[in-house]
């Protein structure tokens, strides 16, 4: 089984930056497709960004150009660099790992963008 732990959330002013990190357990990290999702109160969970096992990234239109997803297979981590943050980015951000054997979720980390 895969365990995922997110970190790096917090309070930031509009226009500021945060870097989220997700640490995965196990020895099969390089085989997982990884993603970041977010959920704001009263809204459905939505995809923010994904990165395939081969390193191909994909972004939601709302964050493209502002956020960057990356992975470090040697450290079993995936990161989300968030720049030019907006109040609309406020949500709980969840790390996701997917492969042929299943899909796994972290507990989430809160990101609040407010002045």
């Amino acid at each position: 089984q895969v365990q995922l732990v997110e970190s790096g959330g917090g309070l930031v002013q509009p226009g500021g930056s945060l870097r989220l990190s997700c640490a995965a357990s196990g020895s099969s990290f390089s085989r997982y497709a990884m993603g970041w999702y977010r959920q704001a109160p009263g809204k459905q969970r939505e995809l923010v960004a994904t990165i395939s096992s081969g390193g191909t990234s994909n972004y939601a239109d709302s964050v493209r150009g502002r956020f960057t997803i990356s992975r470090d297979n040697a450290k079993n981590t995936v990161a989300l660099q968030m720049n030019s943050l907006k109040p609309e980015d406020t949500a709980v951000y969840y790390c996701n790992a997917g492969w042929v054997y299943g899909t796994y979720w972290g507990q989430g980390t809160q990101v609040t963008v407010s002045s």
Side-chain angles (χ1 to χ4, degrees):
Q1 301 296 98
V2 179
Q3 294 181 342
L4 304 172
V5 180
E6 302 96 334
S7 62
L11 174 65
V12 65
Q13 293 187 338
S17 298
L18 282 175
R19 185 177 179 87
L20 305 183
S21 182
C22 173
S25 66
S27 60
S28 300
F29 180 80
S30 64
R31 299 185 179 93
Y32 308 148
M34 302 297 299
W36 287 97
Y37 294 72
R38 67 187 182 187
Q39 187 166 24
K43 297 184 178 180
Q44 292 186 324
R45 182 173 56 193
E46 64 176 350
L47 183 147
V48 177
T50 62
I51 185 166
S52 73
S53 60
T56 301
S57 59
N58 187 55
Y59 299 91
D61 289 343
S62 59
V63 307
R64 187 175 293 109
R66 300 187 297 121
F67 292 9
T68 303
I69 188 170
S70 61
R71 65 192 299 159
D72 187 337
N73 290 340
K75 296 181 178 179
N76 278 21
T77 59
V78 60
L80 185 69
Q81 178 65 46
M82 305 186 293
N83 299 326
S84 302
L85 283 162
K86 304 174 181 179
E88 307 93 275
D89 296 318
T90 296
V92 177
Y93 284 69
Y94 296 92
C95 180
N96 170 268
W99 67 334
V100 68
Y101 297 106
T103 301
Y104 307 92
W105 296 92
Q107 291 298 115
T109 185
Q110 177 72 47
V111 172
T112 302
V113 184
S114 177
S115 60

